[in-house]
Amino acid sequence: MRLAHRLAVLTAAATCVLIVFGGLVTNTGAALAVPDWPTTFGHNMFLFPWSQMVGGVFYEHSHRLLGALVGALTLALAVALWRRGGRLRALGVAAVAAVIAQGVVGGLRVVLQTDALAMVHGPLAQAFFALVVALALLTSARMARPAPAVDGATRALTLAAALLVYAQIVFGALLTHAGRIDLHLVGALAVFVLVPMVTARLRSTGDAVAAPAARALLVLLGVQLLLGAGAYLARFSPVWIPGGQLTMLALPVAHRLAGGLILAAAVVLAVRLLAGARPVPAAVAAPGALGVAR
């Protein structure tokens, strides 16, 4: 299990870097800098000359190489999980299927040159990242510790929060590629209402997983609010932003990464409660309580 956990953590870290480069590809307009796929200007992807990796080609080709690395790590993770059997084996297979689908969608985006596939590519990457983070949690020693006893309402709200955060990521892709800022703003409002409610229920549990994840989620929400406001001002207003083009590039990329981290934290909470929590005894649960048994 230790090997699987290390591989899951390494795959999650590599996926974080991949998400950053995906944001750089999108926000520098480098998505079609390399016109062919799976080759790169006719070269085998892994043999493309480093000297020609300049400008948009650097971002796009680096993104492909990182995607291949994540794919290889995912295969290794799936092999390690296969020996465990049960749900871990199934989730390992799902991770391989997801990373293959992600690579194919990204390639078809280049070949077919359609924004519709770009709107699938981004959210699918975030879903894959959340899945790998969930595997890192499920293979960790902390998951073996007794989980907090919570009521059904808390579990339902935690699951709803994870689903809502993912919907907000989809709305973000619609904003990036279709200009639908209305959905993204409504989604942000819903996230900032529901997620703090969930973290309030879980921060005081003292659970080895849920408590720190809830605190981290709350901090990430604050960071995301600042990044989102900055990205909005940089794109939709004439307000002067310090740092010029560099800041205008960094803000949406950081916003995208923070969104993935928020989703990962929300999924960690949902997995912890749904996979390991004990229902709160009826005699303990009191009407009007926060829904957390100490």
Side-chain angles (χ1 to χ4, degrees), residues 166-187:
Y166 187 68
Q168 174 66 348
I169 286 174
V170 174
F171 294 157
L174 290 173
L175 168 60
T176 299
H177 299 287
R180 290 298 304 272
I181 191 172
D182 54 339
L183 292 175
H184 198 55
L185 290 176
V186 170

Side-chain angles (χ1 to χ4, degrees), residues 96-211:
V96 171
V99 81
I100 291 173
Q102 178 72 342
V104 171
V105 169
L108 291 178
R109 162 75 175 98
V110 173
V111 173
L112 301 178
Q113 299 186 16
T114 171
D115 284 342
L117 288 175
M119 287 186 278
V120 174
H121 191 58
L124 182 55
Q126 301 281 22
F128 171 77
F129 175 56
L131 173 59
V132 174
V133 170
L135 284 170
L137 172 64
L138 289 170
T139 54
S140 69
R142 290 191 176 189
M143 271 300 281
R145 300 181 186 179
V150 298
D151 61 8
T154 299
R155 288 197 298 274
L157 285 173
T158 304
L159 177 60
L163 294 175
L164 178 59
V165 170
Y166 187 68
Q168 174 66 348
I169 286 174
V170 174
F171 294 157
L174 290 173
L175 168 60
T176 299
H177 299 287
R180 290 298 304 272
I181 191 172
D182 54 339
L183 292 175
H184 198 55
L185 290 176
V186 170
L189 178 61
V191 167
F192 278 91
V193 169
L194 178 59
V195 173
M197 291 172 55
V198 172
T199 61
R201 288 171 175 251
L202 299 177
R203 287 198 309 274
S204 61
T205 62
D207 181 62
V209 174

Side-chain angles (χ1 to χ4, degrees), residues 5-55:
H5 177 67
R6 290 176 177 174
L7 282 170
V9 171
L10 183 58
T11 305
T15 305
C16 266
V17 179
L18 181 60
I19 289 172
V20 169
F21 268 81
L24 290 171
V25 167
T26 298
N27 291 282
T28 59
L32 299 176
V34 179
D36 53 331
W37 178 83
T39 55
T40 299
F41 293 103
H43 293 266
N44 179 296
M45 182 178 71
F46 301 105
L47 301 178
F48 182 71
W50 287 88
S51 60
Q52 297 182 32
M53 288 180 60
V54 295

